Amino acid sequence: LNVPGATYNWRLSANNGALTFPQPSGTASGTTQATVVVHLPSGLGQGNHNLGAVTVEVSGPMEIRNSRVSVPVSVRVIR
């Protein structure tokens, strides 16, 4: 996350239990990093697999109020 010159609140959420966050929310100014932990299902076969999406919500000053983006998460298994 990068919001130059502003203090903002951020929150992460996922639409699948395979995606978790050690720190799902916080307050920052400027740049901050967020960690997503991916739990791969057992028996996942070769190929591409969609694991859901992570939604990042940022709130703060007027210019970033209610800013939200969803990012798809997928893995490719190669054997």
Side-chain angles (χ1 to χ4, degrees):
L1 304 172
N2 185 10
V3 183
T7 298
Y8 57 94
N9 300 308
W10 58 271
R11 184 170 75 92
L12 302 174
S13 60
N15 65 355
N16 186 326
L19 306 170
T20 60
F21 318 99
Q23 182 180 355
S25 63
T27 300
S29 2
T31 301
T32 190
Q33 293 182 353
T35 301
V36 178
V37 178
V38 178
H39 305 274
L40 296 177
S42 62
L44 201 59
Q46 186 175 359
N48 296 322
H49 304 276
N50 180 6
L51 296 180
V54 172
T55 299
V56 181
E57 296 179 75
V58 178
S59 61
M62 188 61 105
E63 63 271 12
I64 59 171
R65 184 162 292 157
N66 300 324
S67 181
R68 176 188 298 191
V69 64
S70 289
V71 180
V73 177
S74 60
V75 296
R76 182 175 185 189
V77 177
I78 303 171
R79 296 186 190 204

